[in-house]
């Protein structure tokens, strides 16, 4: 009998089913170094867009109020631009630029803390952090996992004869 099914034989179809024993495919994909850097860069660009387009209801709506004060101009500093540039630059060799994940962890941690602080103190409503807070925490977790998860490729140690 041949290995290939003929017209009279039914071909058995096998499907890949996630059983839970193997790593989660979505989390495994998101933990790839370049994917983490792309997500960090995209989120940094999104923060700049939110600071640029303040008159829309989609990103930030100031309601016609101005931001005043001696240092009021620092509220929209577009700090996401240099951060996105660092993340994009590190895409070339994520292993060589591994400390950039510390930057991402600090960046997402401070961004999350800032959102919580402003939501608790009152100038920002809870609905305004409903989407950005979980995304920032999630990106911080991806950076944390990348920094502290076991490495797939152990570093090669060359021993020299004594």
């Amino acid at each position: 009998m041949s290995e290939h099914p003929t017209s009279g034989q039914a071909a058995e179809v096998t499907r890949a089913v996630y059983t839970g024993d193997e790593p989660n495919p979505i989390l495994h994909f998101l933990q790839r170094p370049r994917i983490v850097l792309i997500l960090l860069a995209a989120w940094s660009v999104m923060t700049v867009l939110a600071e640029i387009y303040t008159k829309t209801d989609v990103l930030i709506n100031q309601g016609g109020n101005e931001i005043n004060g001696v240092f009021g101009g620092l509220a929209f500093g577009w700090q996401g631009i240099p951060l996105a540039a660092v993340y994009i630059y590190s895409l070339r060799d994520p292993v060589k630029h591994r400390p950039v994940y510390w930057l991402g962890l600090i960046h997402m941690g401070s961004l999350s803390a800032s959102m919580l602080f402003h939501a608790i103190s009152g100038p920002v409503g809870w609905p305004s952090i409903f989407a950005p807070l979980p995304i920032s925490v999630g990106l911080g977790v991806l950076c944390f996992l990348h920094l502290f998860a076991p490495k797939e490729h152990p570093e090669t140690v060359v021993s020299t004869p004594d």
Side-chain angles (χ1 to χ4, degrees):
M1 190 172 226
S2 69
E3 293 180 19
H4 300 289
T6 60
S7 59
Q9 298 173 333
E12 185 178 327
V13 178
T14 58
R15 294 183 183 176
V17 177
Y18 178 67
T19 62
D21 295 335
E22 59 274 355
N24 183 317
I26 295 172
L27 185 59
H28 183 68
F29 174 77
L30 290 175
Q31 284 181 313
R32 295 174 59 189
R34 284 192 171 95
I35 298 300
V36 174
L37 290 172
I38 289 170
L39 292 172
L40 288 168
W43 193 238
S44 295
V45 169
M46 180 58 105
T47 63
V48 173
L49 291 175
E51 293 173 357
I52 291 173
Y53 298 108
T54 59
K55 300 298 183 194
T56 66
D57 290 334
V58 176
L59 298 175
I60 293 178
N61 185 0
Q62 292 179 316
N65 297 330
E66 292 183 357
I67 295 176
N68 292 316
V70 177
F71 295 107
L74 294 177
F76 297 110
W78 298 357
Q79 69 281 356
I81 293 173
L83 290 169
V86 169
Y87 299 139
I88 292 169
Y89 178 81
S90 299
L91 280 170
R92 298 179 330 155
D93 189 357
V95 175
K96 179 181 175 187
H97 301 291
R98 192 163 190 257
V100 77
Y101 296 102
W102 280 107
L103 176 65
L105 184 62
I106 293 167
H107 176 202
M108 292 302 121
S110 64
L111 188 58
S112 300
S114 171
M115 283 185 264
L116 285 173
F117 172 78
H118 289 296
I120 291 169
S121 65
V124 175
W126 287 99
S128 296
I129 66 168
F130 180 74
L133 183 62
I135 292 171
S136 298
V137 169
L139 288 172
V141 167
L142 287 175
C143 289
F144 181 85
L145 291 174
H146 183 73
L147 286 168
F148 296 106
K151 295 181 184 178
E152 293 179 12
H153 305 289
E155 295 179 16
T156 306
V157 177
V158 179
S159 60
T160 57
D162 291 325

